[in-house]
């Protein structure tokens, strides 16, 4: 009787219902249905474009017409590794990225610690909003604001003037300042999440066992929070490594991104070859970060 | 664990397949290297109703844009190109009917077959264009016309009157290391490889033994001298600019006091009440060594989907009143000789909402051929020097990598 009922009602079932039946119990179908979209994007859009980049870095360009000739050559990598200017630029980029990362870590840690362990619920919510707020405003607006502040007639010189000092002006120092400002939230949030995970009881236990606050910080908090700092550093480091608009607006210094952007219209192969450099740097960085257990906190 | 290994193997397989596919398509569609297009239109038919253009900011604007649309029924879609390199790149997409190419883009477009020859007999207003703009190396190739001259201008030296005294008469305030040093950190330089030619123009006067003639045709000795001069200049540079707004903000904020610029920024700063000045009329508006400049050409794409509308446009933009409008709006010398009649200039200024200036053509030396002898229009540097030296010259790739090197 029941079977007959089911048969009779079968044609009336909705499409969704029938799809659900189709997927029921079929594990392979479930997984491929869930993942085929994102996977196609990842392989074609994401990895695919990286492969195109890599392939293009072995091509060359005709000087006469600027057209790309698709014959295999190592010339671009040869140029990048033999011309000293490219090494200077790569080294400058890595140096500033490291400096920004350290600065942000130093600035972010106390803020994150206050948010995670000391602030009331209200204060914590206000701080989270305050930290996220700059991320809602447009990137260019923030950089142009810094450009205005750092200018010769800008507010920084105006404020420092009475003390007989003047601001850094435009230059690599300015890039360091602006980048540290821009990427600070990306450092605070992972550290905050990492610190929040440390149970208060551990801190009490440390105190009960006679450790000074400094020892507690050094022996308990820092080891537990360090992977979170490394996680945050991946953001600050890679974002600095790839930025080319900030250097253009507040300095004359060329970074890897600037060289890529000047070459992309007339020498795509060289631009591609140079773009491989930050990828290699990031791969090394990520391997080191993994050794520090950073990915447990992503 | 077995499952994971299988998944990894599958992922590798897909990735490998993709690489093979990419190489295959890459090699299959291999480049159509440098064949000039020779298909010239023999007649202009009815407009196609649409026109897609690339040009410098301000070249396609109202009121003349809407006037063109009304007269021809061709709806204009305009894309601004920021640099010559960008314009070349956009033209290669084949999505556009035409471009206002400067001389450092035109040769590349012609040699790669991106643009078609222009039948000047189908452009009636071509006849009255200034003669010294016709048959030039950046618009005519082996005797074939590839475009219609739009307008021309010179890159100017601008300075802040309050800070730079006495008024400079030479580029040496920027390029002579001793003189430039007093303005260390206050000098504004155009951020483009083509700026190397500005150094070559300077050296042409100040180091005649280098034998520089055309600042875009430099052999390795001349090129190295120019590049070294710019490397020395670097220490004194306040800012390299490629965005006009960025340069305006640097001069307005007191960060830069002098530099190379376009009329557009100069007028914008004067409008803001900033104390700016440029080389005066007595000097012919350029420093004594002369200057680099531009002469722009409307070219038609070899893949133009709307060729009839493009021919209509090329004739329209050099018609006397419209050419007077666009050149007064931008601040450059018109190419159309009939645009310089005072009554035409006045009517055009009125139409474009600009102050009336019947002397505009005199001020911009539109008809003064001797003035333009000192202005070196942007040109694509090629290995072929164009003279007895042969293929000894530095090509544009060399210029681009030298520019990276100069900025360090």
């Amino acid at each position: 009787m029941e079977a007959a009922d089911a048969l009779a009602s079968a044609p009336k079932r909705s499409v969704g219902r029938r799809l659900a039946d189709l997927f029921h119990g079929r594990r392979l179908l479930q997984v491929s249905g869930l993942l085929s979209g994102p996977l196609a994007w990842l392989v074609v859009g994401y990895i695919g474009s990286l492969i195109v980049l890599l392939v293009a870095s072995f091509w060359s360009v005709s000087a006469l017409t600027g057209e790309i000739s698709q014959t295999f050559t190592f010339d671009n990598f040869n140029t990048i590794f033999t011309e000293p200017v490219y090494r200077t630029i790569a080294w400058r980029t890595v140096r500033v990225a490291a400096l920004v990362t350290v600065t942000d870590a130093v600035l972010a840690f106390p803020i994150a610690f206050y948010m995670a362990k000391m602030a009331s619920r209200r204060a914590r919510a206000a701080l989270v909003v305050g930290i996220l707020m700059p991320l809602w405003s447009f990137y260019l607006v923030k950089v142009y604001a810094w450009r205005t502040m750092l200018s010769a007639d800008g507010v920084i010189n105006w404020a420092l003037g009475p003390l007989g000092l003047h601001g850094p002006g435009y230059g690599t120092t300015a890039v360091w300042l602006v980048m540290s400002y821009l990427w600070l939230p990306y450092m605070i949030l992972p550290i905050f999440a990492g610190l929040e995970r440390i149970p208060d009881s551990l801190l009490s236990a440390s105190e009960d066992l006679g450790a000074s606050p400094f020892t507690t910080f050094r022996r308990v908090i820092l080891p537990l929070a360090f992977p979170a700092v490394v996680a945050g550093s991946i953001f600050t480091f890679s974002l600095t490594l790839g930025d080319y608009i900030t250097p253009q607006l507040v300095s004359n210094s060329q970074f890897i991104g600037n060289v890529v952007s000047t070459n992309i219209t007339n020498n795509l192969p060289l631009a591609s070859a140079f773009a491989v450099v930050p990828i290699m740097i990031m791969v090394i960085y990520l391997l080191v970060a993994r050794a520090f257990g950073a990915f447990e906190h992503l | 664990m077995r499952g994971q290994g299988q998944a990894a193997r599958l992922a590798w397989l897909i990735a490998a397949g993709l690489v093979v596919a990419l190489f295959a398509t890459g090699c299959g569609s291999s480049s159509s290297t440098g064949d000039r297009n020779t298909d010239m239109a023999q007649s202009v038919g009815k407009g196609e109703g649409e026109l897609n253009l690339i040009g410098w900011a301000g070249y396609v604007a109202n009121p003349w844009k809407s006037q063109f649309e009304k007269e021809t029924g061709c709806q204009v879609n305009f894309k601004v190109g920021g640099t010559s390199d960008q314009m070349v790149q956009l033209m290669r997409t084949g999505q556009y009917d035409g471009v206002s190419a400067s001389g450092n883009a035109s040769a590349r477009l012609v040699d790669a077959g991106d643009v078609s020859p222009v039948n000047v007999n189908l452009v009636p207003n071509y006849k009255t264009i200034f003669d010294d703009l016709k048959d030039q190396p950046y618009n005519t190739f082996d005797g074939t016309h590839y475009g219609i001259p739009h307008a021309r201008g010179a890159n100017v030296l601008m300075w802040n009157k309050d800070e730079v005294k006495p008024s400079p008469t030479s580029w040496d305030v920027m390029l002579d290391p001793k003189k430039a040093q007093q303005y260390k950190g206050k000098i504004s330089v155009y951020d483009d490889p083509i700026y190397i030619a500005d150094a070559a123009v300077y050296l042409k006067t100040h180091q005649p033994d280098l034998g520089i003639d055309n600042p875009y045709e430099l052999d390795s000795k001349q090129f190295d001298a120019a590049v070294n001069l710019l490397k020395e200049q670097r220490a004194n540079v306040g800012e390299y600019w490629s965005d006009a707004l960025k340069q305006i903000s640097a001069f307005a904020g007191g960060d830069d006091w002098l530099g190379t610029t376009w009329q557009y920024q100069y007028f914008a700063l004067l409008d803001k009440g900033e104390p700016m000045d440029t080389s005066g009329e007595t000097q012919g508006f350029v420093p004594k060594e002369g200057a680099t400049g531009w002469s722009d050409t409307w070219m038609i794409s070899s893949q133009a989907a709307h060729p009839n509308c493009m021919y209509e446009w090329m004739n329209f933009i050099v018609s006397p009143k419209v050419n007077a409008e666009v050149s007064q709006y931008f601040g450059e010398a018109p190419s159309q000789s009939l645009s310089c009649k005072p009554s035409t200039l006045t009517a055009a200024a009125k139409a474009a909402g600009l102050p009336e200036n019947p002397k505009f053509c005199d001020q911009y030396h539109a008809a003064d051929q001797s003035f333009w002898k000192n202005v070196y229009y942007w040109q694509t540097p090629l290995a072929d020097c164009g003279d007895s030296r042969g293929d000894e010259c530095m090509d544009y790739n060399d210029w681009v990598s030298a520019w990276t090197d100069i900025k360090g």
Side-chain angles (χ1 to χ4, degrees):
Chain A
M1 260 331 267
E2 265 187 319
D5 273 354
L7 266 177
S9 65
K12 281 185 218 143
R13 284 184 308 171
S14 67
V15 179
R17 182 74 223 158
R18 277 197 287 177
L19 262 178
D21 279 357
L22 182 70
F23 278 97
H24 179 75
R26 293 186 170 101
R27 187 120 184 96
L28 191 69
L29 210 58
Q30 283 170 14
V31 173
S32 51
L34 188 68
L35 290 183
S36 59
L39 203 69
W41 165 250
L42 200 70
V43 170
V44 177
Y46 192 80
I47 302 179
S49 62
L50 281 180
I51 292 172
V52 172
L53 179 97
L54 196 68
V55 171
S57 65
F58 293 105
W59 289 341
S60 64
V61 79
S62 146
L64 187 67
T65 60
E67 275 188 322
I68 289 167
S69 133
Q70 291 159 344
T71 40
F72 187 88
T73 166
F74 276 112
D75 282 359
N76 302 307
F77 287 101
N78 200 18
T79 309
I80 283 167
F81 290 116
T82 52
E83 298 274 337
V85 67
Y86 295 100
R87 243 174 298 151
T88 313
I89 292 166
W91 174 232
R92 175 187 299 135
T93 310
V94 171
R95 215 174 49 218
V96 171
L99 216 58
V100 166
T101 301
V102 171
T103 311
D104 277 349
V106 170
L107 291 176
F109 208 97
I111 302 172
F113 188 79
Y114 177 78
M115 281 164 65
K117 294 294 172 204
M118 294 154 81
S120 66
R121 283 177 66 98
R122 285 176 72 94
R124 180 187 298 181
L127 275 170
V128 170
V129 171
I131 287 159
L132 289 178
M133 195 92 88
L135 296 181
W136 297 346
S137 73
F138 191 43
Y139 167 90
L140 273 184
V141 175
K142 290 183 280 189
V143 184
Y144 261 104
W146 272 96
R147 182 177 160 80
T148 317
M149 291 195 305
L150 287 163
S151 94
D153 297 347
V155 68
I156 293 178
N157 278 347
W158 170 81
L160 293 176
L163 307 172
L165 301 168
H166 54 84
Y170 299 145
T172 310
T173 316
V175 176
W176 164 64
L177 271 177
V178 177
M179 297 267 203
S180 299
Y181 158 79
L182 284 173
W183 315 135
L184 185 61
Y186 296 94
M187 183 62 101
I188 294 178
L189 293 174
I191 299 185
F192 167 62
L195 288 172
E196 222 185 6
R197 252 188 265 179
I198 302 174
D200 289 344
S201 55
L202 281 186
L203 307 187
S204 311
S206 174
E207 204 183 352
D208 291 346
L209 291 170
S212 69
F214 180 69
T215 310
T216 306
F217 176 76
R218 201 168 51 89
R219 302 280 303 272
V220 180
I221 298 173
L222 206 56
L224 287 171
F226 194 68
V229 178
V230 178
S233 79
I234 292 170
F235 293 121
T236 55
F237 191 82
S238 66
L239 287 168
T240 311
L241 213 57
D243 197 336
Y244 70 100
I245 296 170
T246 301
Q248 219 169 46
L249 285 176
V250 301
S251 83
N252 277 336
S253 310
Q254 295 183 103
F255 285 67
I256 292 175
N258 298 101
V259 176
V260 172
S261 85
T262 28
N263 280 292
I264 202 119
T265 44
N266 52 52
N267 196 344
L268 182 73
L270 185 71
S272 308
F274 208 35
V276 172
V277 173
I279 295 176
M280 289 188 320
I281 295 170
M282 260 342 271
V283 167
I284 297 168
Y285 195 94
L286 290 175
L287 287 175
V288 174
R290 195 178 67 168
F292 281 110
F295 299 114
E296 292 154 27
H297 286 256
L298 283 179
Chain B
M1 276 335 265
R2 261 182 66 91
Q4 221 173 23
Q6 242 171 5
R9 241 170 295 151
L10 193 70
W12 278 113
L13 203 71
I14 294 171
L18 212 71
V19 173
V20 171
L22 279 168
F23 266 111
T25 52
C27 299
S29 70
S30 81
S31 51
S32 57
T33 33
D35 277 332
R36 281 186 190 167
N37 186 296
T38 50
D39 306 330
M40 183 151 65
Q42 295 308 325
S43 62
V44 177
K46 197 174 167 304
E48 296 88 351
E50 206 182 338
L51 181 62
N52 299 319
L53 296 175
I54 308 167
W56 296 102
Y59 276 19
V60 181
N62 282 328
W64 60 92
K65 175 174 174 273
S66 53
Q67 186 193 338
F68 176 75
E69 289 173 343
K70 215 157 70 190
E71 283 177 12
T72 63
C74 303
Q75 289 300 311
V76 179
N77 306 310
F78 179 50
K79 166 102 183 148
V80 174
T83 63
S84 288
D85 291 340
Q86 206 186 344
M87 289 187 183
V88 170
Q89 204 69 18
L90 286 169
M91 280 301 281
R92 298 224 161 119
T93 65
Q95 307 285 308
Y96 299 88
D97 299 306
V99 61
S100 69
S102 291
N104 54 343
S106 57
R108 276 184 272 170
L109 291 169
V110 169
D111 283 333
D114 297 316
V115 290
S116 291
V118 172
N119 187 341
V120 293
N121 297 324
L122 301 178
V123 182
N125 287 321
Y126 182 77
K127 277 189 216 78
T128 44
I129 280 177
F130 286 113
D131 281 336
D132 60 331
L133 283 171
K134 292 177 181 169
D135 304 319
Q136 293 301 309
Y138 48 85
N139 59 28
T140 305
F141 296 79
D142 294 333
T144 309
H145 299 289
Y146 276 87
I148 302 297
H150 169 91
R152 54 183 162 177
N155 295 312
V156 294
L157 172 63
M158 174 171 73
W159 63 89
N160 184 323
K161 277 190 286 198
D162 295 348
E163 309 287 356
V164 180
K165 291 171 188 164
S167 295
T169 57
S170 156
W171 290 108
D172 61 5
V173 284
M174 291 177 68
L175 284 166
D176 179 343
K178 279 194 210 81
K179 291 193 177 160
Q181 207 173 11
Q182 57 182 320
Y183 302 115
K184 194 176 166 76
K186 299 292 180 187
I187 294 173
S188 178
V189 169
Y190 185 43
D191 188 0
D192 191 305
I194 211 73
Y195 183 72
I196 295 170
D198 287 56
V201 168
Y202 174 82
L203 289 175
K204 184 177 175 172
T205 307
H206 293 268
Q207 277 188 45
D209 50 312
L210 284 169
I212 294 174
D213 179 35
N214 179 330
Y216 304 96
E217 291 166 354
L218 304 174
D219 56 38
S220 60
K221 197 173 128 227
Q222 299 165 339
F223 186 74
D224 289 347
V227 168
N228 285 334
L229 187 66
L230 294 178
K231 280 184 179 166
E232 280 186 85
Q233 183 197 41
R234 192 194 185 283
N236 298 320
V237 171
E239 194 158 63
Y240 292 97
W241 66 275
S242 55
D243 169 2
L245 295 177
K246 185 181 155 188
Q247 194 190 29
I248 291 172
S249 92
F251 272 84
D255 292 295
D256 289 332
W257 291 346
L258 74 163
T260 164
T261 192
W262 302 332
Q263 276 82 357
Y264 174 81
Q265 289 95 304
Y266 172 59
F267 290 130
L269 283 159
L270 286 187
D271 273 353
K272 286 179 168 218
E274 300 292 338
M276 296 301 150
D277 206 354
T278 60
S279 311
E281 202 173 348
T282 50
Q283 256 201 302
F285 299 99
V286 289
K288 65 180 182 195
E289 295 90 356
T292 55
W294 68 90
S295 177
D296 294 343
T297 307
W298 283 103
M299 299 184 136
I300 182 168
S301 167
S302 50
Q303 301 171 61
H306 315 101
N308 293 334
C309 278
M310 188 60 206
Y311 265 92
E312 297 269 18
W313 173 261
M314 288 192 287
N315 190 46
F316 174 82
I317 197 69
V318 293
S319 60
K321 181 161 168 248
V322 174
N323 203 242
E325 280 178 45
V326 66
S327 50
Q328 290 186 88
Y329 180 83
F330 190 87
E332 58 188 345
S335 63
Q336 176 56 259
S337 61
L338 300 180
S339 296
C340 286
K341 265 182 32 196
S343 58
T344 310
L345 284 167
T346 313
K350 210 180 260 170
L354 300 163
E356 289 177 18
N357 182 2
K359 285 194 168 158
F360 182 83
C361 280
D362 298 338
Q363 287 179 358
Y364 280 85
H365 301 265
D368 181 359
Q369 297 198 16
S370 61
F371 169 79
W372 298 104
K373 292 236 158 61
N374 263 334
V375 175
Y376 305 91
Y377 306 129
W378 281 342
Q379 202 176 307
T380 311
L382 303 172
D384 178 3
C385 298
D387 53 33
S388 58
R389 288 173 297 175
D391 283 348
E392 292 296 306
C393 282
M394 309 304 276
D395 64 33
Y396 191 56
N397 280 352
D398 297 323
W399 285 52
V400 174
S401 50
W403 188 244
T404 303
D405 204 20
I406 287 164
K407 292 205 298 166

